[in-house]
Amino acid sequence: MSLYQTLYFMSLVGGTAGLLSWVLTALVSAVVPGQAVWMADLIATTILGGFIGAFTVAFSDRWSGNRVVTRWVVSGALIGITAGLIAGLVQIPITTRLGATAPVLTRLVAWMLAGSFIGTGLGLRWAQVNRARVAHAAAGGLIGGLLGGMVFVGLGPVIPDLSQALGFVSVGVGICFGVTVAPILLRDGILQFVSSGDPRAQGKFGRTHKEWEIQQGDSYVIGSQNQDFSVSRYRPDIDIFIPDAAIAARHAILFGKEGRFYLARHPSSTDQAALARFPLRVRGKTVVTSLELRDSDDVMVGRTALKFVTKKES
Amino acid sequence: MNRVAAAAMVVLVEGLVCASGWAQATPAGHLEFADKVRLVNCQPSTTRPGFRAQFNVVDAQGAPLSIEYPPAENLRGLTRIYVDNQELEPFFAVSQATRAEAVRGRVALILVDTSGSMNARMASGQTRFQTAQAALGRFFDTFDEKADRVAIVPFDSHGVERRIRSAQFARSKADALAAVSALPPPQTTNNTAIYSAVVTGLDVLTSQARAVAAPGTASPEMLLVLMTDGKNEVLRGDDPGLLDGAMGLQRAAEAVKASGIQVIGVGFGDPGSIDENAMRQVSTSLFLASNLDQLTQVFSVARTLLTNRIHATFASPFDYLSSLEGRTLRIRASLTLPSGQKFESTEQVWAAPQIGVPAYEGACETDELRTALALVPSGNYLMSLIRPVLVFAGLGTLLLVLWFWVPRLVWADQYVGRVPMKVTSRWDVAGARGRQDQTPRRPAPPGFQTRNVKDAAPRGPSDMTRADFSKSRLQKRPDARDPV
């Protein structure tokens, strides 16, 4: 899946999560009458966070080519719920102070806060790849929340029901778009799938020519380990999963440092047997420890051919 | 010359004012909202949401104005509500002064300062605390056992939250007077936690009102009375976490504003020692008293404000509950007496949730439903039910199209030649059900099982992938025909 496809589908994931959030929020408000205004907002942000958190994890893992782990989906939902809860609580004093004097601004701030906090929760998943991702996700969520809020505020008085549903959908799209687009816009390089001798990898990525965006400070683990064997609670152990029999469970590490990119063997696959069984080549040279990557380098991982593209001068 | 011209202008303006009758119409008092405007459900009489407002007719100091209320049947016609400057006539209006049966229940909480300074002696020889105890009785003169629930709670700087949260609401005058007598005498070590007492008191009052109200009906009238002789003072040795300083004051003021509950501040004793500015911020009306008579009068005023409210219920200018999403309404009220005297209120804001769906805060009662049925046009009830479903279906369909159809147009090359077919497993895994053919499959190598992997050890770098690439796989199938 190309970067733009990822962006498109992740936005749809957000939109779907937003629509379902709207349905559940409306049902809850119908079932629980007499709730205070702040409680209605708290319920809405919590539900929105839960859906977006769960959906984002489920679909991003699905498209990574690896298995969707229920534990991570639940963790994603819980983190989204927590983020939504915090957003709902933070906006209470703002609403109390500004709600009467600047209603439009207060609504926009409320949506932005919801987007930002939920975005931050989602960004935590990639904190180990690059800590800046958390800030990017927060900023992306903030802008997404602003867009959703503008739709809601702009259409609110015009079309009942539709305006709010559209607001939820927009904020979901905005958050997921914002969270996904930040690393794409800020990318310094791309690792692109070319072809693979393993039919599974070829079947998964051959048609879409899957791309992974890479930016300075990132540290990706390349491997073939099935996520069933992962022990973490929220993030995948393998960032670039390629289902190739000639790729070790944890095969290599791709990282950017001081303006350059490097490909190194993963410490768990540096013994002689692993060197022989799990090939790792750049420009035809076997990588024993690590090697710097340059623009348009051909990378051979197992029986899978990848292409590294960067605008950075080596 | 200029002075002559200016004087002539003043005379002219005064003459115009008198001629238009404007000077005579200037109100001697005003309407003051006694609770926040609440959204109420008036179904099945009408699908249009209703709003309920409560107000008092008060003078410039906030004390109830002595006026002759119009008869109940005329009150509605004399009351006007302005929503974002749009004039509306309420479909129901009632004054408790003229119709006792209009009372929905009353919940009051009286917080009495028991700080050390309340031991100060007054000219009468009694301490401030003893004077307060004597004056409090006036509040219960017209106690209605069917409607009233009153709690009298001491507060200082020790056990503030615990004592207020454990308040016992008296259901009879005797119980209320007993609670007054049982107030603990002030201790010299006690300071004054006004801000925390107000915040906790509002919380307790709201909870009690919710408990008293029958499910789905209107909440009862609420009143918080805060009596103190000083200012907020929290020192070392007092309860931890008590509100203090500018932040504490702001928090308490915000709590009062957000609750919409009528809070009567009573400053008693030496006016110089009372923090009048802070008291004005944490109350909706402030009264000062320096002796027993004045304090008795103040409690009488507080009681009147609770028992002499006008209720007005009006239909929303928007057809459905969902029409209120994202709206902030500025609401004013006016009452014109048959004599022509007009009272106007200040503005109160009703705001829908910032993100969430508006929810009803109560339901119309029988009288309100009856008048709403006759007076309020109803929207299309069926449409109000169907529209959300249509919105969901429409947006759902749009998303489905974006998920499954648009990508085939944009990234057509990735979909060309893909024929929907049953996916079979490459490996002979236990869960590979649905396979049509019964051809034996090879077992999956370690690390490549797709199901039932719980018992399998994690795949390490030394594990071998035993894929079968022997020549036998390349051998010609028996049924294959030789190339020509």
Side-chain angles (χ1 to χ4, degrees), chain A residues 102-153:
Chain A
V104 173
L105 177 69
T106 312
R107 285 188 203 286
L108 288 179
V109 168
W111 284 92
M112 284 162 72
L113 277 174
S116 181
F117 276 94
I118 295 169
T120 307
L122 300 183
L124 288 174
R125 194 155 199 249
W126 289 276
Q128 211 158 330
V129 171
N130 188 346
R131 284 181 189 174
R133 288 276 180 105
V134 182
H136 296 161
L142 188 84
I143 295 166
L146 176 65
L147 293 174
M150 284 166 74
V151 170
F152 178 66
V153 170

Side-chain angles (χ1 to χ4, degrees), chain A residues 46-67:
Chain A
T46 304
I47 291 174
L48 189 66
F51 268 106
I52 290 180
F55 275 45
T56 308
V57 170
F59 281 91
S60 65
D61 284 359
R62 172 84 181 83
W63 293 324
S64 75
N66 213 329
R67 181 173 298 285

Side-chain angles (χ1 to χ4, degrees), chain A residues 210-221:
Chain A
K210 168 90 177 164
E211 293 174 333
W212 295 272
E213 73 281 355
I214 295 157
Q215 89 192 72
Q216 277 299 318
D218 282 356
S219 176
Y220 285 109
V221 175

Side-chain angles (χ1 to χ4, degrees), chain A residues 166-185:
Chain A
L166 218 50
F168 270 79
V169 170
S170 306
V171 84
V173 169
I175 291 171
C176 286
F177 180 87
V179 169
T180 314
V181 80
I184 292 176
L185 288 178

Side-chain angles (χ1 to χ4, degrees), chain B residues 301-436:
Chain B
V301 162
R303 177 70 185 169
T304 309
L305 287 171
L306 176 64
T307 57
N308 208 0
R309 293 178 179 176
I310 295 172
H311 291 246
T313 313
F314 57 97
S316 155
F318 308 103
D319 287 345
Y320 305 102
L321 180 65
S322 55
S323 315
L324 293 167
E325 288 164 0
R327 288 188 189 273
T328 301
L329 307 178
R330 298 181 184 280
I331 299 168
R332 290 183 294 118
S334 77
L335 173 68
T336 308
L337 296 181
S339 63
Q341 199 175 12
K342 190 174 182 182
F343 302 99
E344 292 189 335
S345 75
T346 51
E347 192 175 82
Q348 196 178 86
V349 172
W350 179 89
Q354 308 299 326
I355 297 174
V357 179
Y360 289 117
E361 296 168 85
C364 280
E365 294 187 334
T366 313
D367 288 349
E368 292 168 313
L369 289 174
R370 197 175 297 130
T371 51
L373 190 63
L375 297 171
V376 183
S378 195
N380 188 336
Y381 181 67
L382 194 62
M383 193 61 196
S384 70
L385 291 178
I386 290 175
R387 199 182 43 244
V389 179
L390 290 177
V391 166
F392 176 70
L395 286 176
T397 308
L398 177 68
L399 283 171
L400 284 175
V401 167
L402 291 170
W403 269 107
F404 297 107
W405 190 63
V406 173
R408 288 175 184 270
L409 298 179
V410 180
W411 297 286
D413 56 316
Q414 293 177 18
Y415 292 88
V416 168
R418 293 186 91 170
V419 181
M421 54 186 289
K422 188 160 277 184
V423 178
T424 58
S425 174
R426 173 179 163 79
W427 310 107
D428 185 21
V429 292
R433 287 178 290 274
R435 199 170 61 217
Q436 297 302 307

